Amino acid sequence: MSTQIEQEQTEEQTEADAEAAEPAEQSHQDRRLSEKEARAEAREREEQAREEVRDADDTVRIKVFRYDPEVEGKSEPRFDDFSVPFFKGMTVLDALIYARDHYDSSLTFRHSCRQAVCGSDALFVNGQQRLGCKTQMADLEGPVRIEPLPHQDVVKDLVVDMEHFYEQMEAVEPYFQPDELPEGEREEQRQSPENREKVKMSTRCIWCGACMSSCNIAAGDNEYLGPAAINKAYRFAMDEREGEIQKEDRLEIIEQEHGVWRCQTQFSCTEVCPKDIPLTEHIQELKREAVKSNLKFW
Amino acid sequence: MAQHYSSFERGGIKWLFQRLTAVFLVGVLAFHFFLLHFVNHAAEITFAGTEARMSQVGYFATMWLFLVTATFHGVNGVYNALVNQGLSGTPKKAVGAVLTLASIALIVQGTRVALAMTNLL
Amino acid sequence: MSGTYDRGAVEDFGRWREFQPGMWAWIFHKFTGWVLVGYLFTHIAVLSTATGGEVLYTNTLQGLEELLIVRVLEVGLLSVAVFHILNGVRLLFVDLGFGLENQDKSFYASLVVTAAIVVASVPTFLAGV
Amino acid sequence: MHEHDVLVVGAGGAGLRAAIAAHEEGADVAMVTKLHPVRSHTGAAEGGINAALHPEDSWELHAYDTMKGSDYLGDAPAVETFAQDAPDEVIQLEHWGMPFSREEDGTVSQRPFGGLSHPRTTYAGAETGHHLLHTMYEQVVKRGITVYEEQQVLDLAVTDHDDVEDRECHGVVAYDIASGEIEGYRATDGVILATGGPGQVFDHTTNAVANTGDGYAMAYRAGVPLEDMEFVQFHPTTLPSTGVLISEGVRGEGGILYNDEEERLMFEYGYANNDGELASRDVVSRAELTEVNAGRGIEDEYVHLDMRHLGEERILDRLENILHLAEDFEGVDGLDEPMPVKPGQHYQMGGVECDENGHTCIDGLYAAGETACVSLHGGNRLGGNALPELLVFGARAGRHAAGADMKEAEIATGPSAKSEAGEIPENVEVGAVGGSDESVAADGAAVDAGTVVESEIQRQQERVDRLLEDEGVNHAQVRDDIQQTMTANVNVFRREDNLVDALDDIREARERYRHVAASDPSRTYNTDLMHTMETRNIIDIAEAITVGALAREEFRGAHWREQYQERRDDEWLKHTMLAWNEGSPELYYKPVLLEGEKEYEPKERSY
Ligand SMILES: Cc1cc2nc3c(=O)[nH]c(=O)nc-3n(C[C@H](O)[C@H](O)[C@H](O)COP(=O)(O)OP(=O)(O)OC[C@H]3O[C@@H](n4cnc5c(N)ncnc54)[C@H](O)[C@@H]3O)c2cc1C
Ligand code: HEM
Ligand code: SF4
Ligand code: F3S
Ligand code: FES
């Protein structure tokens, strides 16, 4: 079932290797035992998986992108197929975990919270950027193609390099900088419920990078801040607690050459955002704000 | 990301003009098409008709503005499209210069053609 | 640095892009915009060759208009212009923040209306070749 | 080797707060974290942050509620410090831009929460933790604090003095996930462990996959005792298929629990006649399981949580994300039908023993957040008390590590605080088996700080090389076995024979773990290897929890024992302590401090 690269060696070879590189604490005997146990166990797991697939009322197939520059046999990108027993409520992430734990433990992907808050598992599933943990298998047409996010350097399998995305996020001074703070001890800054409502959606971003990956412009222009970073700027620019002076500074940042003007209102960012943030709307509003503030200085 | 703070090019005004010219163009282009293809069937256009129209100051001014705005709108659009595709540095400057020159040439030539069509000179 | 950011060896590995309405609209708008500038330049150029006098002007234009190919191209130009106008108006609304939720529908509407207008004007354009 | 004044391990709420505090004291701080900071599980917290902000409210009331909630197993100095500092911390957060939900007049909203005598839970929609995490990460970015992300800390570099209290912590050793290199980090002033909860010890949990309790295990093996580990909170409202949590906020706003006969179970069967659904979590969890065991559960598994009567507008306003959670993870529309819920592992009250300043008994080693046990939550944590804990004790640990002038701690730590010896029953076997990688602390008599770190790097390098090169058992099965046995035997209801069974299973898992190896040979982003190393920690923690559960012969807080259906204050007003003791764990007790500025007389905990 597993299409993992062939690792099996002949008995003799393994033993010879074992002898050559025997670690001090472990006796030869021990080692042979554990290797034997390992092989038996691996067989058992696959057998179990096969049985589960056989017994399941329903199974799903996933085609997963594989690539590891470091491992021979995986350095050429390819797709692997896995059959996974289906249960109601199964997500793409569940299917990946099953494949990893039963067929091929080298299958690599980021994940943590399983509840769409950590933003680790944005993937390219059946041609669209989605969070693995938030996408029901039942909603997809099989076999489900799972690939790493496009337009980012692939590190291994489904893991991409997020560094560029983080840089863009941090380029917009993504931190609160109020013009002034209240004097009194333990006194909060006031914010109207309406204003909180206004920034609410923009504060929901989980830094998953799906939007950036879906944007054609970001793909063509490395320096484009991208929808997530602009949305971050929106979150602060529209927060009435920061004050007018700071807002001008923020508008200058997003107005720079690779800022809001780059956006061509393609809406794909908005379509894919798992947190339903109206990204295009926020970008457009910032464009208008920027124009307004420029006209003010005329 | 120092580069983000240093290279300020206020794209805002050009962006605004792109939209303002678009608004203007909606009207004029529709008018133009309608007049020259539906009201006056294109095949029947003659110099006399053109001259008659062009000699009205209002019409002439509109057409000339049409030329200028369309040039700005079109050329600026092309420039933006190229920049969006990642054009930068020297090539970008070069393209900018070429496009500006082309626009000027177009407007100058267009003006001359337009004037030739009038009986004003 | 982002400017020289390298997207790595497998950037384009078998990954097709699934376009969404907004992307198609962008592509079409771009394409039609370019055709229109192209036409603007040609248009002025053609008119320039015809500034030599009344007869030349009329002959040039009428001569061109007699060619079927020119008529067909004109229909093409019309469709391109109409789409660009309609989608342009759609974009203007998007810029003003109106109807963002229906951006996909308005794009489809632009397409349909363009098609309708073009079909309706074909007789006028091709008449009398 | 990287070198900084203060190293913070973990970048969840506690880690971030600690780093900011240390930075404000002028220290050169760096964070070393397994996940990028914004991926930390603090982001999953929904409900809110407790702090006595209202003029009619007071820290004393908050302290009293917390102590009562803890079932009198909290230490008064911790509880009081907490209640006093929490309001400042919340206002601080507000000043950092946290988007709290607001009242009409623009002030921060507060809502009622289980076990609180006053509505003092501040919140930001139903995504409080997300906003707290992001707001603080933003401040870290603002201050330019160094963050080493995707670095899995494998162990601490601690000297190997015989007496644990003589030991010093000089840094940590981490596995660079992206490159596969082993990296040494040296801390001149202190290491703060803030690695979050150990939810992965159980198979039905609200915790993230990364919450493998690494910090507990590392500190434990370095010699710091684990305190009150048997106190595990099970949240009464988690979705049955994934463990995703439905916030207490739903019940706070008026959500109702029904059994399959559509009876309002909290009242019908007298589980909590005063507070009903808002009773403490352990009470509600037991009520649900009792219903299910009595055959009144739905599909013999769960009960229903209904919020439809609150009306669409209120739900959309305050509980919108609950709707998404129920829809995305359970396929249920909360506006239309009741949501299925059942108890799931949620929070670890016990943890790495430390004092009010986060300091452990090892010099230079601190703990903060869920990993730590200052003994604030005692036998049971109140909802909304963990997030302020991250802030209050995170900040204190950060300041103390950076050398700020602070009041001496009142809570005693380390083996010297022992008041009474405990005994691990003879019919169970615990602790290290065989050689493999069980050794603790640095080898030899290395006392020079650099050498301590170096030798730890060496050890970890060998371990990683072996796991990569050898062929061996896949860790996933071992982990799975632990999770199954913990959920089956060390759950909400605890019986002696089950606990012994669990320890037997854990023993077996330990044996098998000796033969594990990673089958992915790659040095790049090898999650197989990472998880294999985490499983080791899971085993240690599972054992500590179960030993504690077996030792504590009473029913207190979240800890329920079939044979002992009462809280036994005369004998059990003490903390269960478990020290690794070089592989042969030692159980002992230390007294609870019920006297601080105020005195807390144990009362019956009735809701
Ligand atoms: C679903 C849910 C809802 C909750 N709701 C509330 C609530 O409403 N109110 C409340 O007060 N409390 C709530 N809690 C509890 C509270 O959120 C947690 O106790 C708290 O967030 C833990 O924070 P932390 O900083 O200790 O750990 P985490 O946020 O879990 O952070 C752990 C950090 O440690 C790092 N790490 C882990 N292992 C290693 C390693 N080996 N090496 C390096 N780094 C490592 C991780 O990368 C991460 O950055 C909730 C908890 C859950 C699970
Ligand atoms: C008649 C009404 C017109 C309207 C409403 C209109 C509207 C627009 C708008 C809004 C844009 C900006 C798109 C963006 O930046 O997101 C645009 C781009 C453009 N327009 Fe027009 N336009 C009109 C006429 C014309 C004409 C007559 C020409 C030709 C001269 C033209 C050529 C272009 C070009 C080349 C672009 C750039 C396309 C690209 O992005 O590549 N437009 N138009
Ligand atoms: S804006 Fe949406 S898609 Fe983009 S990073 Fe944030 S959550 Fe992800
Ligand atoms: S996809 Fe890109 S072009 Fe704009 S609307 Fe979104 S950023
Ligand atoms: S696993 Fe956290 S967002 Fe999917």
Side-chain angles (χ1 to χ4, degrees), chain A residues 4 7 14 23 25-26 30-31 34-35 37-39 41 45 48 68 70-71 88 100-101 105-120 133-134 136 155-156 159 162-163 166 170 174-177 181-182 186-191 193-194 196 200 203-208 232 235-236 241 276, chain D residues 35-36 38-39 41 43-44 84 87-88 91 94-108 124-125 127 130-131 134 137-139 141-142 149-150 205-210 242 244 320 324 328-330 436 466 470-474 476-477 512 514-515 519-528 531:
Chain A
Q4 188 187 354
Q7 249 188 332
T14 346
E25 329 93 66
Q26 218 178 358
D30 237 17
R31 199 186 151 99
S34 67
E35 278 170 10
E37 200 178 321
R39 276 192 292 273
E41 196 246 21
R45 293 176 76 72
Q48 187 204 337
D68 185 341
E70 214 203 314
V71 173
K88 186 178 170 287
R100 179 194 67 199
D101 288 352
S105 52
S106 72
L107 179 59
T108 305
F109 45 93
R110 286 195 184 94
H111 66 300
S112 183
C113 68
R114 305 165 298 133
Q115 48 186 285
V117 297
C118 75
S120 315
C133 61
K134 203 188 163 212
Q136 293 282 323
V155 176
K156 176 178 170 186
V159 175
M162 296 288 284
E163 211 42 54
Y166 295 149
E170 284 168 19
Y175 32 79
F176 192 69
Q177 313 195 80
L181 280 174
R186 281 197 187 171
E187 196 180 320
E188 68 254 57
Q189 310 160 90
R190 301 290 173 105
Q191 180 184 28
E194 294 73 37
R196 182 187 122 82
K200 182 174 112 185
T203 60
R204 294 174 55 172
C205 174
I206 56 174
W207 295 47
C208 70
K232 195 80 183 165
R235 178 251 170 284
F236 291 109
R241 291 174 293 170
D276 300 326
Chain D
L35 308 169
H36 183 277
V38 301
R39 318 267 175 243
H41 205 54
Q84 286 163 351
D88 288 336
I91 295 299
E94 202 283 334
H95 288 182
W96 284 337
M98 168 113 170
F100 281 109
S101 292
R102 302 279 167 165
E103 291 302 317
E104 280 307 319
D105 66 355
T107 54
V108 173
E127 302 147 345
H130 164 81
H131 293 307
H134 283 256
Y137 178 59
E138 287 158 13
Q139 292 299 312
V141 172
K142 181 175 185 178
E149 73 199 40
E150 300 204 328
T205 174
T206 61
N207 283 197
V209 177
T242 45
V244 167
E320 192 196 335
H324 294 300
D328 295 338
F329 303 104
E330 199 69 45
S436 62
R466 187 166 40 70
D470 277 15
E471 224 181 294
V473 182
N474 186 302
Q477 193 69 49
R512 300 195 33 223
R514 293 175 65 202
H515 306 295
S519 63
D520 184 352
S522 178
R523 297 257 165 196
T524 311
Y525 223 97
N526 193 333
T527 49
D528 190 17
H531 295 158

Side-chain angles (χ1 to χ4, degrees), chain D residues 193-208:
Chain D
L193 283 176
T195 56
Q200 288 301 316
V201 168
F202 292 83
D203 82 341
H204 189 78
T205 174
T206 61
N207 283 197

Side-chain angles (χ1 to χ4, degrees), chain D residues 380-412:
Chain D
N380 191 26
R381 173 182 73 99
L382 293 181
N385 257 1
L387 295 179
E389 177 195 15
L390 308 180
L391 303 171
V392 170
F393 294 107
R396 294 178 73 88
R399 266 180 230 129
H400 198 271
D405 205 8
M406 289 168 77
K407 202 173 116 220
E408 181 131 5
E410 286 170 46
I411 296 172

Side-chain angles (χ1 to χ4, degrees), chain C residues 27-56:
Chain C
I27 302 256
F28 286 178
H29 198 80
K30 201 183 257 282
F31 172 74
T32 52
W34 282 69
V35 170
L36 288 175
V37 209
Y39 176 73
L40 179 64
F41 276 85
T42 332
H43 192 52
I44 300 294
V46 167
L47 291 180
S48 306
T49 62
T51 46
E54 190 172 333
V55 185
L56 180 59

Side-chain angles (χ1 to χ4, degrees), chain B residues 70-94:
Chain B
T71 308
F72 170 81
H73 180 94
V75 172
N76 186 45
V78 165
Y79 178 70
N80 281 339
L82 292 174
V83 172
N84 280 334
Q85 285 314 299
L87 186 71
S88 63
T90 320
K92 182 175 141 185
K93 285 208 185 84

